[in-house]
Amino acid sequence: MLRTQAARLICNSRVVTAKRTFALAARSINNGAMGNAAQSVAAKKFLTPMIATRGLKQINFGGTVETVYERADWPKEKLLNYFKNDTFALIGYGSQGYGQGLNLRDNGLNVIIGVRKNGASWKAAVEDGWVPGENLFEVEEAIKKGNYVMNLLSDAAQSETWNTVKSLLTKDKTLYFSHGFSPVFKDLTHVEPPKDIDVILVAPKGSGRTVRSLFKEGRGINSSYAVWNDVSGKANEKAQALAVAIGSGYVYKTTFEREVTSDLYGERGCLMGGIHGMFLAQYEVLRENGHSPSEAFNETVEEATQSLYPLIGKYGMDYMYDACSTTARRGALDWYPIFKDALKPVFEDLYESTKNGSETKRSLEFNSQPDYREKLEGELQTIRNMEIWKVGKEVRKLRPENN
């Protein structure tokens, strides 16, 4: 998250005041200044809201001011109190189901898993400590037991199971997604949420494995949240609180439509498809001009992922430029506009393809085929057998931490 020093001071002023008040009151309790147990209890009750109450953060992101929410806005005690009467029925135990489910459980909330009995997901859930009949059930039973229904099935599976799920969504329930795919493209998916219940979204900006690993490290993944229906008048609040409960550290607001468009666009672009295509193009040109496999890989992937990209992630592109030689800096400054001009038309076509539903249609058609897993494995096997990634496997073995 980018902030100026001034923004930090403004945003943290109330937090600093609260911490000082907490420290003074805590010192009084520890020194016995309050005199008796009743006064001590009263003081402790006073302290809790001081920690939990924070001013909204208005952050200037490159000239655009946005409201953001952080984990400190929803400390664990506040979450437990807010969700004390709720049961989260998490449907599906793939990547996001795994990460969000375990984080909810570790945060002390009442979460149950709903998957097909004795299937691969059921077995994986059992391995992770979910107990059949206690907090692991078949899908329909889990939905009946929960008042928050967290639909974390794959996009294709959400479409296939929607009639069953929808029939169980009574007016006391809140429907939750982590991707806007199904409701936004309802003409293709046939997933049209009921109009008489709250429908919310929390979309972590990373895989479920990352959601889990960052949570275990005491950190938090960035997530967006959105509201489709606000019947109760509390849908925004529910989404913000649940975002923190699943392990988010910083949360910003979007819409279902913007979330799915940016997500599909990003995955096909810089996050996966685009970066893979650039890696391959650069590697192949080096190899075609006589460079060895190890040299081509190191100059294309290893230096990028192990040296330069971490600098961008931690400090920004400007810092990465400053950290490089004057020769590298000059070349990058000369060539990035050329790459941008060449690639922007491709990204414009990609954005239109995601927005008009073409990418959704292709995804549903492929992932709904009975033999899609075999076809997918064939495509992935092609990637595994590429020279560049075979070389990478050997290069990684040479890293000191792997010896």
Side-chain angles (χ1 to χ4, degrees), residues 94-224:
S95 175
Q96 287 295 336
Y98 156 85
Q100 296 188 33
L102 290 177
N103 290 355
L104 284 169
R105 189 174 73 181
D106 285 355
N107 269 329
L109 301 181
N110 184 23
V111 56
I112 61 178
I113 304 297
V115 290
R116 181 171 57 85
K117 190 172 184 179
N118 295 326
S121 294
W122 180 281
K123 294 174 183 177
V126 170
E127 290 178 3
D128 288 336
W130 302 95
V131 181
E134 181 179 318
N135 52 24
L136 176 60
F137 304 92
E138 294 201 63
V139 172
E140 292 186 33
E141 187 174 359
I143 294 175
K144 291 176 182 177
K145 290 178 177 293
N147 61 309
Y148 279 80
V149 178
M150 303 176 70
N151 195 340
L152 296 181
L153 294 166
S154 69
D155 296 323
Q158 286 186 20
S159 181
E160 293 167 2
T161 61
W162 178 243
N163 287 337
T164 298
V165 172
K166 185 177 181 180
S167 67
L168 299 170
L169 294 176
T170 51
K171 290 185 179 181
D172 61 321
K173 300 185 187 297
T174 295
L175 178 60
Y176 168 103
F177 294 96
S178 277
H179 194 14
F181 187 100
S182 293
V184 169
F185 295 108
K186 57 183 181 293
D187 291 343
L188 294 170
T189 65
H190 308 295
V191 175
E192 189 164 4
K195 296 179 180 180
D196 58 353
I197 65 172
D198 286 349
V199 180
I200 61 177
L201 171 149
V202 176
K205 301 298 105 180
S207 72
R209 300 287 163 179
T210 309
V211 171
R212 181 59 176 165
S213 63
L214 291 181
F215 177 84
K216 289 171 69 176
E217 292 171 14
R219 300 161 64 193
I221 196 163
N222 294 342
S223 300
S224 60

Side-chain angles (χ1 to χ4, degrees), residues 289-306:
N289 282 276
H291 296 266
S292 70
S294 61
E295 182 174 56
F297 185 85
N298 273 284
E299 293 294 344
T300 299
V301 179
E302 192 75 350
E303 186 172 352
T305 59
Q306 300 304 298

